[in-house]
Amino acid sequence: MRVIRTKDYRDMSRKAANVISAQVILKPNSVLGLATGTTPIGTYEQLAEWNRKGDCDFSQVTTYNLDEYRGLTHEDPQSYHYFMRQNFFDKINIDLANTFVPDGANPNADEACSEYDRMVRDAGYPDLQLLGIGRNGHIGFNEPDDHFSKGTHCVNLTESTIQANSRLFDNADDVPRQAYTMGVQTIMYARSILILASGPEKAQAVYDMCFGPVTPQCPASILQLHTSCTVIADEAALALCP
Ligand code: F6R
């Protein structure tokens, strides 16, 4: 695990965008695994700016997002699909036909998840997987558990995740209670991983991820075992780390 310390969120975002941009320059038809949430927004903004200036071309890139709320259609403004369009896809020259998010509108969880697994596998798994980390160490929607999950599956969101995500909804009751998420094993199949963290509320999770035991109680801790994992985090998120 390589840890890069940045002075603040802006610095984190620029460095992360540099890593993703380098990936796309070196391999124009890269498969990128992408995340939603607050953390990567600055990275997406920076990449969109470079794309506008002609410095980063996404025309041959394919993307697979980590997760989607169960029960929301792609058009729902609260869906992760919508989030990706608003914050990234509609601002870059990517072919929307090459952007994939689990199908939250499919009520048949087994079908939606196995179909998504098949698509990610057929694409050869991401060259680079971008991740954020939850305050409890979750990655994707893989919450602390007594085992590491494998493929894409349906999860019941924990109360803390519902509360954390409620900031993007009118109130906590509107937050869907279930989501489809790539499993930890699928995430580990990515050839390289870039995980971002910003702010003091992530400090404990970042410490546990980097220095704690590898345990499903902190799903991100398994990234210690990945052969090419880079953490880019700001001072506040690294406050507990030596
Ligand atoms: C989002 C995702 C989540 C977030 C995590 C951190 O697709 O999979 O694991 O990365 O909840 O969220 P933020 O960035 O909002 O703190």
Side-chain angles (χ1 to χ4, degrees):
M1 217 176 213
R2 198 184 291 118
V3 181
I4 297 174
R5 190 180 284 261
T6 68
K7 71 174 185 301
D8 53 23
Y9 177 81
R10 201 178 132 76
D11 190 17
M12 177 202 77
S13 302
R14 280 182 66 86
K15 286 190 164 66
N18 267 298
V19 172
I20 296 169
S21 167
Q23 170 66 44
V24 172
I25 289 168
L26 290 169
K27 187 179 177 200
N29 64 345
S30 288
V31 176
L32 301 179
L34 297 179
T36 58
T38 311
T39 313
I41 289 178
T43 305
Y44 293 148
E45 275 170 8
Q46 182 62 79
L47 287 169
E49 188 188 321
W50 289 338
N51 181 251
R52 252 192 328 274
K53 290 181 174 160
D55 291 333
C56 190
D57 176 19
F58 288 92
S59 62
Q60 296 177 60
V61 167
T62 301
T63 65
Y64 288 89
N65 263 78
L66 284 166
D67 40 21
E68 179 60 283
Y69 289 117
R70 184 182 190 196
L72 300 190
T73 65
H74 283 183
E75 291 73 38
D76 192 308
Q78 304 289 5
S79 73
Y80 283 174
H81 184 265
Y82 191 91
F83 173 100
M84 289 308 297
R85 287 197 62 163
Q86 292 279 106
N87 288 287
F88 197 33
F89 299 151
D90 287 350
K91 299 179 175 175
I92 58 172
N93 68 332
I94 199 163
D95 181 350
L96 282 179
N98 294 333
T99 64
F100 301 95
V101 180
D103 184 7
N106 186 346
N108 183 335
D110 288 346
E111 187 183 89
C113 294
S114 59
E115 171 67 4
Y116 201 65
D117 264 345
R118 187 192 58 71
M119 287 160 60
V120 179
R121 190 185 59 237
D122 289 355
Y125 297 106
D127 293 294
L128 175 65
Q129 173 69 57
L130 178 65
L131 297 173
I133 181 169
R135 292 173 216 199
N136 58 6
H138 73 226
I139 47 176
F141 271 126
N142 296 284
E143 304 281 9
D145 205 340
D146 57 10
H147 65 282
F148 288 110
S149 63
K150 295 195 162 53
T152 304
H153 58 291
C154 182
V155 288
N156 297 321
L157 305 188
T158 61
E159 204 43 50
S160 74
T161 298
I162 292 168
Q163 288 308 324
N165 291 6
S166 65
R167 69 190 188 283
L168 304 170
F169 290 78
D170 289 339
N171 65 68
D173 289 343
D174 294 342
V175 184
R177 268 34 190 177
Q178 289 187 312
Y180 298 148
T181 182
M182 272 188 204
V184 171
Q185 186 180 57
T186 314
I187 292 171
M188 290 292 280
Y189 283 151
R191 276 176 286 293
S192 60
I193 291 184
L194 175 60
I195 182 160
L196 310 181
S198 171
E201 64 282 1
K202 299 292 173 70
Q204 187 63 50
V206 170
Y207 176 85
D208 292 344
M209 164 173 70
C210 299
F211 297 99
V214 175
T215 164
Q217 291 305 322
C218 174
S221 65
I222 200 164
L223 300 176
Q224 291 176 32
L225 304 182
H226 197 280
T227 50
S228 178
C229 177
T230 303
V231 180
I232 303 185
D234 63 16
E235 291 286 355
L238 286 168
L240 300 177
C241 294

